[in-house]
Amino acid sequence: MADVIADPETDPHATYVLDPASVRALTSRVLASGEPMTTRTPMTGAPLATLPTSTPADVAVALDRARAAQRAWAARPVAERARLLLALHDLVLDRRSELLDIVQLESGKTRAQAFEEVADVAVVCRHYARRGPALLADRRHLGALPLLTRSTEHHRPKGVVGVVSPWNYPLTLSVTDALPALLAGNAVLLRPDPQGTLTALHALALLVEAGFPEDLVQVVLGGAETGAAVVERADYVCFTGSTATGRSVAASAGRRLVGASLELGGKNAVYVADDADLRRAVPGVLHACFSSAGQLCVSAERLIVHERVADELLARLVDAMGRMRLSTGLHWDADMGSLVGPAQLARVLAHLEDAVAKGASVLAGGRARPDIGPYVLEPTLLTGVTSAMACRDEETFGPLVALYRVQDDDAAVALANDTEYGLNASVWTRDVRRGRRFAARVQAGTVNVNEGYAAAWGSVGSPMGGMKASGLGRRHGREGLLKYTESQNVTVQRLVNIADLPGLRGAGYARALTGALRAMRAVGLP
Ligand code: NAD
């Protein structure tokens, strides 16, 4: 851990403090002439670093720099750009230890959950380096007049892609959406959340070390205002955050008629069917619900259980929850870490207290644990949640889960769909066909059968994103790359003009073309 100069794991009276010289080195290339901001680590609540912020004027200059760098970048062969992704893949794995430290210090999550972010970046680098060039390649299509018309589809970069990322997955969400944009020939203007700034700056240093041109990725710093300044200028916007903010980002992009992909909130459901393997389902449900202390867009806040297995599942789950190891340390021996800060703790406690006041019962957890960390809350399971309670429909974004019993799959599907959101769902069953049938009826952008979220998220060849109020557009897969391009149709007409075929006029022209169209259908042309 190069730049942490005191660690409470070894010295209980210490706080985590970053060496100001390392922070200065990280921010040296950033355009930031605004007021400084101080970030705090959720591990102890103490200040972590003082960082400069970017004014709207800084954002405008950063955009110009990115635009200038983009022209030369787009001219480089895609295979060359792909090689740099593989170089980044190797660097991220080699430097995982320092990345894990900084992700943990900024987010409060456990080391294992921070590692999910490192692994995710590596997977996305590998995937787009290997598959991206073919997806971006020019494609020939049948022309209007076969043999005489040659049509080609090209994918041109948008220009400068603005990425506005939240705090909960500071490495994954600042880097993995930028990578396909870069591969497609774009520059990136990234505004990480203040609480994820150091992680994003570490990642930027690795991008440059991997060989990406220095000015190609511009990082600007600050909160909502800096994010809005990026949204107001970029040629395409990739936003991850809440549905409320997503609506305002979409409106801003709409006013300028630039595209935007929005990865927003969720109220995700896990369904445990009566034929589920409970030995796998119990740890699977815990991971689905309490990874990153529930501050994960795809984590589950609604646990739907078939009544035939509900008692047994509940007994096992409550026992397992009681044995979860809570910690704010930079080590591997923890199952759940901290919430990100006082506002998030207050929000989760408000949902918990509101539910209990209106008649819900706490089956497990339910207590804040200041003895472990200032924003630590036990993993909590409620029953008796009704629509009078805020946590029934609103996204809590914390370790608070409501249990519902159902009599059959129809009721499970109806309950899973009874939300404005549609991000992720999970179903546990020994019968994969039953799982697929459930998936076909659930309105969610990803559905995991016998896994909480990691299977669908980690299968980056397939797109992921939200239905309904959970978003617009997709990350990962073909869509996650081509959204950063403008499709262009370049068609060459040879020998004759289409509207001026030799010897054909008026009715004769129409007769000849009708015959040609019938012939093309008959021979099976597309
Ligand atoms: P938020 O919407 O309040 O803020 C998200 C980010 O947007 C912040 O960094 C903020 O500074 C910035 N921002 C705020 N107003 C802005 C504006 N007008 N223009 C541009 N940027 C602006 O959300 P949050 O509470 O910080 O993050 C948690 C939310 O994000 C949850 O709802 C969660 O579900 C969602 N999320 C979704 C995904 C996904 O992939 N679908 C992933 C992670 C988080």
Side-chain angles (χ1 to χ4, degrees), residues 222-390:
E225 271 184 27
T226 317
V230 169
V231 171
E232 282 157 19
R233 288 169 176 79
D235 301 322
Y236 182 88
V237 178
C238 176
F239 173 79
T240 305
S242 66
T243 294
T245 309
R247 289 187 208 278
S248 103
V249 167
S252 171
R255 273 193 296 277
R256 292 197 302 125
L257 284 180
V258 301
S261 62
L262 311 165
E263 305 286 346
L264 308 175
K267 191 72 187 173
N268 308 304
V270 173
Y271 172 44
V272 181
D274 52 344
D275 66 344
D277 175 353
L278 296 189
R279 278 169 313 174
R280 273 187 66 197
V282 169
V285 167
L286 292 184
H287 190 242
C289 297
F290 303 121
S291 189
S292 293
Q295 300 162 112
L296 166 59
C297 53
V298 288
S299 71
E301 297 186 354
R302 297 182 299 150
L303 174 58
I304 303 171
V305 188
H306 197 291
E307 64 178 4
R308 267 191 228 117
V309 288
D311 289 339
E312 190 184 346
L313 180 88
L314 192 57
R316 290 185 188 213
L317 205 57
V318 169
D319 174 57
M321 285 171 71
R323 284 186 286 106
M324 281 175 69
R325 299 161 302 171
L326 310 185
S327 169
T328 52
L330 303 188
H331 57 73
W332 292 95
D333 302 320
D335 301 309
M336 201 180 91
S338 175
L339 289 161
V340 74
Q344 203 60 23
L345 177 64
R347 179 180 170 85
V348 183
L349 284 175
H351 273 193
L352 173 61
E353 284 157 15
D354 167 70
V356 170
K358 291 173 179 162
S361 312
V362 177
L363 296 172
R367 290 178 307 158
R369 293 294 299 271
D371 51 317
I372 297 171
Y375 317 121
V376 174
L377 179 71
E378 289 174 348
T380 300
L381 186 61
L382 295 177
T383 189
V385 169
T386 68
S387 48
M389 304 167 191

Side-chain angles (χ1 to χ4, degrees), residues 164-168 173 191 193 223-224 227-228 231 239-242 245 248-249 263-266 297 395 397 423 475:
V164 178
S165 56
W167 43 265
N168 61 331
L173 296 175
R191 200 295 330 230
D193 188 89
V231 171
F239 173 79
T240 305
S242 66
T245 309
S248 103
V249 167
E263 305 286 346
L264 308 175
C297 53
E395 182 183 41
F397 221 52
L423 192 57
R475 59 163 57 98

